[in-house]
DNA sequence: TTTCAGTGTGATAACGTTATCACAATCAGC
DNA sequence: GCTGATTGTGATAACGTTATCACACTGAAA
């Protein structure tokens, strides 16, 4: 069924060793024999068997990627795409393992990847794995990179997205445009450091300007889904008085918010200004929203590059990369300073 | 570095063959030795090496998935998810290969998957590969399933989504609610059979009711993107008179359309009714749209099951599965018959 | 006691690749 | 014509697994 390197060698009238040298471009081969082998490869349609090669060399060129990918939220699929692209360029193949949340499940996924001999693993988003598991993986010579999972201390490489800075950018944007009544919609931050940073950035920015949010303008949801965003805003609207602007820490939530506002006939940005977060759906919804680009593409690429660095022996110490977010202005924040002049 | 089956055997005081029997649950092993081996596995943290196993058995339990996944359009990532899930349940691992469009690129991706010894390949969406390439893959004993790629005739298994029926459902929904002026926004259908079916369903439904669309109400875009949807509607609005409803053959396009309408202050469904297609973004946008659910989840699962059928020798002939779409009503079509009564 | 099926165990040889040898052959410099 | 480096080639042994033998041992039927 499958064509082996020895078939190629036979066809070309050389030894398997010589054929192997041609294929891997290593060692000395005369021009004549090289040409013979290349022709045989073409004729037989030979494709090297990477599985056998992996086994022999102990270098499968596999990177495992553990991630949860909700269909509704493109946040993670963006990272998936860049990881794949960057890895492919370096000759690695990405084994994406979609986990389902629980710790036991994640353990199974990790064992699966180990059984496939992965050179490295990337973990994206929230995890249930404890530090012992991470140690166990690393003890097998598998390098580990965490994306947006800051809680493992100094034992692993990590790519971090500066959520605090992101929140600050959003707030500065709104405050500079004259907003003083700024609401917040985000995710409950129990152990979620990242979520806390977004809220913390919000409160700090307000405090820096001597502002305090009305308590009815701050909402927390258990999860980033459209439906939660919708419900939260509906509840806020039931309260009566609304702020002049809202900082929403996820575009998915913001989409839900826009639905509720649409139903109530509240225009964005005329009646209410909004800044979203992560810049994933903000160019899809209507109206398009000003949002915080968290550099997801760079994050995926950076993770892969950190792995390559280690593989090539360029680095042994632990490295943390912190990416700086950028505000993408799509005009969903009304300029109150201008309109005040006009009236 | 890695713990081998022989290490487990030594720890348990048995031969590697016996340890292998315990691990693979095949052949006779006494309860006593089984217990010893199981304990040794636990103690050493042994994880079987699937690469070696694949090589030996010639059954890697890999399914390759060739697909293009634009970040903006969740259509394909939904299919990815179910393929992964279904395959994982059957003990297969999915190698997702993101292709970049050109024929040469797709060929490289296919060779890559062959080198990984995949048991089967799934192709989703438009491809550049010709029939020869598909024959070549199959000649290596690799089974092939096409999702939403109808043009290969009778040589390969395929999962088809009934676009014509989907269009019919959308049209019946609008016509039943009294709409007679129904516009169309879709993709150019050069060789794209699927796209043609959607347009064909639209025209046929109209004709069945003795209707003809105003020519300025029919738009074609080169690609399913938000921006194209937006531009197309902007152009339609420039024409002046608009229809009472629009059938848009992709939710991504519909999202762009909603942006244009929002900017012009045209309310959905009060001023204009819309039915979307594929039901991917229609619960995210505002307002939420009535859309045609194309059964993407079932499609992915069906593709995997067709592969399993073949592997288990339950089938040798070519099989085509046609999935029937369903309309999901989210109220984005105004009932003109009722409002006529009211006035 | 012999026979035979069933139960239990270990040695061994592959799967397709590649790293490491060993050994020629060539050619320059003395 | 000898040394030593460079160039070129093939045999061979692994990588970790598992399928196939071969060979025991048990208990029951003849």
């Amino acid at each position: 069924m499958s064509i082996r390197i020895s078939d190629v060698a036979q066809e070309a009238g050389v030894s398997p060793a010589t054929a192997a040298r041609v294929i891997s471009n290593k060692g000395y081969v005369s021009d004549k024999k090289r040409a013979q082998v290349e022709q045989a490869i073409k004729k037989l349609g030979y494709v090297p068997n990477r599985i056998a090669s992996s086994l022999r060399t102990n270098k499968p060129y596999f990177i495992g990627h553990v991630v949860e990918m909700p269909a509704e939220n493109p946040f993670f699929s963006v990272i998936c795409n860049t990881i794949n692209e960057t890895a492919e360029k370096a000759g690695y193949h990405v084994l994406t393992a979609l986990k389902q949340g629980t710790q036991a499940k994640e353990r199974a996924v990790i064992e699966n990847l180990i059984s496939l001999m992965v050179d490295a693993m990337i973990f994206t988003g929230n995890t249930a794995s404890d530090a012992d598991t991470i140690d166990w993986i690393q003890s097998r010579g598998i390098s580990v990179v965490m994306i947006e999972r800051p809680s493992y201390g100094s034992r692993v490489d990590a790519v971090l997205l500066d959520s605090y800075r992101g929140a600050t950018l959003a707030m500065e944007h709104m405050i500079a445009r004259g907003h003083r009544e700024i609401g917040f919609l985000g995710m409950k931050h129990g152990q979620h450091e990242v979520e806390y940073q977004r809220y913390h950035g919000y409160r700090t920015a307000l405090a820096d300007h001597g502002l305090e949010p009305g308590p009815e303008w701050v909402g927390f949801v258990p999860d980033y889904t459209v439906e939660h965003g919708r419900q939260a805003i509906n509840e806020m609207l039931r309260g009566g008085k609304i702020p002049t602007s809202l900082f929403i820490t996820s575009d998915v939530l913001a989409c839900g918010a826009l639905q509720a506002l649409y139903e109530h006939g509240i225009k964005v940005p005329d009646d209410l200004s909004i800044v979203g977060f992560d810049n994933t759906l903000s160019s899809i919804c209507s109206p398009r929203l000003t949002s915080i680009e968290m550099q997801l593409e760079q994050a995926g690429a950076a993770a892969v590059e950190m792995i390559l660095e280690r593989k090539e022996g360029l680095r042994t110490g632990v490295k943390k990369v912190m990416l700086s977010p950028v505000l993408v202005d799509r005009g969903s924040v009304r300029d109150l300073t201008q309109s005040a002049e006009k009236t």
Side-chain angles (χ1 to χ4, degrees), chain A:
Chain A
M1 197 72 86
S2 73
I3 295 124
R4 307 187 302 287
I5 209 168
S6 55
D7 297 327
V8 171
Q10 196 175 10
E11 174 74 26
V14 300
S15 74
T18 302
R21 272 188 283 264
V22 172
I23 289 157
S24 61
N25 250 325
K26 274 182 188 170
Y28 299 106
V29 183
S30 65
D31 289 349
K32 191 186 154 201
K33 298 213 167 175
R34 160 164 283 122
Q36 286 170 8
V37 171
E38 275 165 357
Q39 207 185 338
I41 289 173
K42 222 177 223 172
K43 185 179 169 194
L44 299 178
Y46 168 75
V47 177
N49 184 326
R50 231 171 103 172
I51 296 293
S53 168
S54 297
L55 181 61
R56 173 62 231 249
T57 60
N58 199 25
K59 279 179 218 134
Y61 288 94
F62 278 156
I63 294 177
H65 184 202
V66 180
V67 64
E68 198 166 10
M69 197 161 20
E72 206 177 57
N73 193 344
F75 187 97
F76 299 115
S77 59
V78 171
I79 292 182
C80 274
N81 275 336
T82 48
I83 287 179
N84 270 56
E85 207 174 310
T86 317
E88 214 72 57
K89 266 181 211 148
Y92 282 78
H93 194 98
V94 178
L95 303 178
T96 308
L98 305 171
K99 61 144 196 151
Q100 314 284 351
T102 75
Q103 182 158 358
K105 273 274 188 178
E106 181 157 319
R107 176 74 182 208
V109 159
I110 290 170
E111 287 200 7
N112 197 8
L113 289 178
I114 288 181
S115 80
L116 292 167
M117 294 180 72
V118 292
D119 297 281
M121 285 192 205
I122 299 176
F123 291 80
T124 302
N126 280 316
T127 183
S129 290
D130 52 8
D132 282 350
T133 305
I134 304 303
D135 287 344
W136 176 62
I137 298 169
Q138 290 184 317
S139 76
R140 305 185 74 108
I142 298 169
S143 55
V144 174
V145 180
M146 298 283 168
I147 300 181
E148 194 66 341
R149 266 195 197 190
S151 40
Y152 288 97
S154 61
R155 37 167 52 88
V156 285
D157 293 344
V159 178
L160 305 170
L161 311 176
D162 196 341
S163 276
Y164 178 82
R165 171 85 184 129
T168 307
L169 283 174
M171 296 303 289
E172 281 173 356
H173 186 78
M174 291 186 275
I175 289 170
R177 276 158 189 74
H179 291 269
R180 294 296 173 267
E181 300 172 359
I182 304 174
F184 175 93
L185 182 54
M187 191 168 129
K188 276 199 192 79
H189 43 273
Q191 326 91 322
H192 299 300
E193 197 179 318
V194 168
E195 313 309 333
Y196 172 70
Q197 290 299 331
R198 296 180 194 175
Y199 180 64
H200 184 48
Y202 163 70
R203 290 306 298 258
T204 306
L206 282 184
D208 285 353
H209 292 77
L211 300 171
E212 181 95 18
E216 70 279 13
W217 297 340
V218 175
F220 294 102
V221 298
D223 218 343
Y224 288 141
T225 67
V226 174
E227 198 46 36
H228 282 140
R230 179 193 174 79
Q231 285 166 4
I233 295 301
N234 271 327
E235 197 160 321
M236 209 177 275
L237 292 175
R238 228 173 279 131
K241 188 171 179 315
I242 59 168
T244 65
S245 63
L246 263 180
F247 170 43
I248 305 179
T249 66
S250 156
D251 276 359
V252 189
L253 277 186
C255 282
L258 286 173
Q259 289 181 354
L261 295 171
Y262 193 87
E263 283 157 23
H264 285 81
I266 298 174
K267 276 278 204 175
V268 176
D270 303 350
D271 306 328
L272 179 66
S273 295
I274 289 182
V275 175
F277 208 84
D278 55 55
N279 199 32
T280 52
L281 291 169
S282 39
S283 60
I284 292 175
C285 59
S286 30
R288 291 183 289 187
L289 296 179
T290 295
S291 190
I292 306 298
E293 164 63 51
M294 293 304 283
Q295 315 285 10
L296 303 183
E297 309 221 342
Q298 281 186 41
V304 173
E305 274 152 23
M306 282 166 87
I307 288 169
L308 298 180
E309 264 176 37
R310 263 190 201 284
K311 289 292 146 194
E312 291 163 13
L314 300 178
R315 178 170 57 84
T316 50
V318 169
K319 183 172 166 185
K320 308 266 177 191
V321 172
M322 172 82 91
L323 296 176
S324 273
V326 163
L327 184 136
V328 179
D329 191 350
R330 294 196 185 85
S332 66
V333 175
R334 189 177 160 206
D335 193 337
L336 297 179
T337 61
Q338 270 196 337
S339 61
E341 280 166 26
K342 277 179 189 168
T343 15

